[in-house]
Amino acid sequence: MADTGAKAPRERYRTQVRSEIKQHAWEQIASAGASALSLNAIAKRMGMSGPALYRYFAGRDDLLTELIRDAYRSLADTFRTAAGSGAGLAGLAHALRGWALEDPQRYFLMYGTPVPGYHAPDDVTLIANEIMQVLLDACAALELHDERAPFDEHLESHREWAAGHPAPAPVLRRALAFWTRMHGVLSLELAGHFAGMGFDAALFFDSELQELTGSGT
Amino acid sequence: MADTGAKAPRERYRTQVRSEIKQHAWEQIASAGASALSLNAIAKRMGMSGPALYRYFAGRDDLLTELIRDAYRSLADTFRTAAGSGAGLAGLAHALRGWALEDPQRYFLMYGTPVPGYHAPDDVTLIANEIMQVLLDACAALELHDERAPFDEHLESHREWAAGHPAPAPVLRRALAFWTRMHGVLSLELAGHFAGMGFDAALFFDSELQELTGSGT
């Protein structure tokens, strides 16, 4: 069915209820964790019967998938907007940091402890790939004259994840390092591990970023 | 009371029941997540009454603290044993990786998504400090002639977390980078983010490690 822009009232109502359910789901995650997500508890909070709510989401995994899909979509949009405004790798890093700090729960739902028994469907991987393409473009644009690392030989023959991106292995390696290093700092910061250590986490993030962009050191 | 080595039968029994409770707790965490930990559910599984179980742990947070303390203790021992056998920074990294892969749940309980409403007590921080001291010693032993980074100036005046370790700022920076980079790779690997990407996570871990130890690139 083509999206005509003007939705029928029934469809608008459905969208609105689904959005309300998701709002309650985020509140539940905040207070009890993602693995405790319960459609029946949400139904109760909304004054609906359990079966009525199941007309909007087929089950816990369906709701969880929708939240995760929204989260990936939001990060992909954040990256695209930043890249569209001319942001390079450093700009993407700061966009990522701002996005993560804005909603730590959303960050942890994507990149934190896996929810027992839950597996994200393939279409989420497609959005993750979209994020990776923006990242690869930014890494390629740095035009650093990287020394080759021993790992590059492995990457040359294991680059399916780059989904056809033409970047050479050192660029692929830099993209992986960007992902894991930024995640390493952000996830420990958001989980409170730096609290009480006394240093400025934002400065440390920038320091790690400078090593990746080959500037500042 | 001094530990005489030979415990009274009552004390031995208490230790045994506490250990059984913790075993059940890990099973619960595996199947439903740490935030769903329930003393009453464990009591039921063990055929005990709720109040009887509360004689062993004061509540969910007390049990969670014991699991987290065990986890930090285990990592601290792993690091000390490795360092005692002459392991340098690379040896510590491989010990960390082996330890994390051995029990991903334990890893995520320490470094994953925070459990809503739970705050670890100060004595856990003391074990974390012990781990950091071993790491700082290994970083100092590398004797690399680091270029100074802009972040080093900040670290010079924000080094309380090093708890008196005499290492200069570039060494402190390397220890932080070791922690966050190794965590970045390990946590994404353990959460399954590399599955389907096709590259060898162990080789990527080594590649990141080589940059930290200044070898191989």
Side-chain angles (χ1 to χ4, degrees):
Chain A
M1 202 172 73
D3 188 351
T4 58
K7 283 178 178 169
R10 181 190 291 273
E11 186 58 22
R12 272 208 312 274
Y13 177 73
R14 184 176 169 78
T15 303
Q16 190 184 322
V17 175
R18 278 174 66 93
S19 157
E20 263 181 62
I21 292 169
K22 289 196 272 182
Q23 194 50 48
H24 283 281
W26 283 116
E27 285 167 20
Q28 258 201 6
I29 291 173
S31 63
S35 57
L37 199 60
S38 153
L39 264 65
N40 286 324
I42 292 174
K44 212 169 168 181
R45 286 285 301 272
M46 293 177 69
M48 291 167 77
S49 71
L53 193 135
Y54 277 86
R55 283 203 299 269
Y56 295 92
F57 287 100
R60 181 202 76 156
D61 284 7
D62 188 30
L63 175 53
L64 211 43
T65 293
E66 187 77 3
L67 299 180
I68 291 172
R69 195 182 283 133
D70 285 353
Y72 271 95
R73 187 73 265 154
S74 168
L75 178 54
D77 290 346
T78 300
F79 261 35
R80 278 196 184 285
T81 302
S85 315
L89 194 60
L92 288 186
H94 290 124
L96 171 66
R97 184 174 157 80
W99 178 88
L101 290 172
E102 189 182 285
D103 191 344
Q105 285 200 119
R106 182 175 57 185
Y107 188 88
F108 282 121
L109 191 63
M110 285 172 73
Y111 296 121
T113 306
V115 177
Y118 174 79
H119 295 283
D122 286 347
D123 69 313
V124 171
T125 307
L126 292 180
I127 316 180
N129 287 348
E130 200 182 314
I131 294 167
M132 186 55 86
Q133 291 297 312
V134 179
L135 181 52
L136 283 167
D137 284 344
C139 287
L142 281 177
E143 289 180 2
L144 293 172
H145 299 290
D146 284 293
E147 288 179 56
R148 286 187 67 85
F151 183 56
D152 292 349
E153 201 178 322
H154 175 77
L155 271 184
E156 287 292 10
S157 53
H158 296 81
R159 50 182 300 146
E160 307 81 12
W161 57 274
H165 199 287
V171 171
L172 301 190
R173 176 163 50 87
R174 187 174 303 267
L176 288 180
F178 176 94
W179 182 24
T180 57
R181 292 183 193 180
M182 301 297 98
H183 165 70
V185 178
L186 285 174
S187 62
L188 290 173
E189 179 186 5
L190 294 177
H193 286 276
F194 301 155
M197 287 182 75
F199 66 85
D200 184 328
L203 293 181
F204 178 54
F205 182 86
D206 281 343
S207 173
E208 282 294 273
L209 178 59
Q210 280 153 9
E211 274 204 44
L212 280 166
T213 56
S215 67
T217 52
Chain B
M1 205 174 69
D3 188 351
T4 59
K7 284 178 176 167
R10 182 190 292 271
E11 187 56 25
R12 271 211 311 274
Y13 177 73
R14 185 176 168 79
T15 303
Q16 192 184 319
V17 175
R18 279 173 65 93
S19 157
E20 263 179 63
I21 292 169
K22 288 196 272 182
Q23 194 49 49
H24 282 282
W26 282 117
E27 285 167 21
Q28 259 200 7
I29 291 173
S31 62
S35 58
L37 199 60
S38 153
L39 264 66
N40 285 326
I42 292 175
K44 212 169 169 181
R45 286 285 300 272
M46 291 177 71
M48 291 167 78
S49 72
L53 192 135
Y54 278 86
R55 283 204 300 270
Y56 294 92
F57 287 99
R60 182 202 76 155
D61 284 6
D62 187 31
L63 175 54
L64 212 43
T65 293
E66 186 78 3
L67 299 180
I68 291 172
R69 195 183 281 132
D70 284 355
Y72 271 94
R73 189 71 266 153
S74 168
L75 179 55
D77 291 346
T78 300
F79 261 34
R80 280 197 183 285
T81 303
S85 316
L89 194 60
L92 288 186
H94 290 123
L96 171 66
R97 184 176 157 80
W99 179 88
L101 290 171
E102 191 181 284
D103 192 343
Q105 286 200 117
R106 182 175 57 185
Y107 187 88
F108 282 121
L109 191 63
M110 286 171 73
Y111 295 122
T113 306
V115 177
Y118 175 80
H119 294 283
D122 287 347
D123 68 313
V124 171
T125 307
L126 292 179
I127 316 180
N129 287 347
E130 201 183 311
I131 294 168
M132 186 55 87
Q133 291 297 310
V134 179
L135 182 53
L136 284 166
D137 284 344
C139 287
L142 280 178
E143 289 180 1
L144 293 173
H145 299 290
D146 283 291
E147 288 178 56
R148 286 188 66 86
F151 183 56
D152 292 349
E153 201 178 322
H154 175 77
L155 271 184
E156 288 291 10
S157 53
H158 296 82
R159 51 182 300 147
E160 307 81 11
W161 56 274
H165 198 289
V171 171
L172 302 189
R173 176 163 49 87
R174 188 175 302 268
L176 288 180
F178 176 94
W179 181 24
T180 57
R181 292 183 194 181
M182 301 296 97
H183 165 69
V185 178
L186 286 174
S187 62
L188 291 174
E189 178 186 4
L190 294 177
H193 286 275
F194 300 157
M197 287 183 74
F199 66 85
D200 185 329
L203 293 181
F204 178 54
F205 182 85
D206 281 344
S207 172
E208 283 294 272
L209 178 59
Q210 280 154 9
E211 275 204 46
L212 281 164
T213 57
S215 68
T217 50

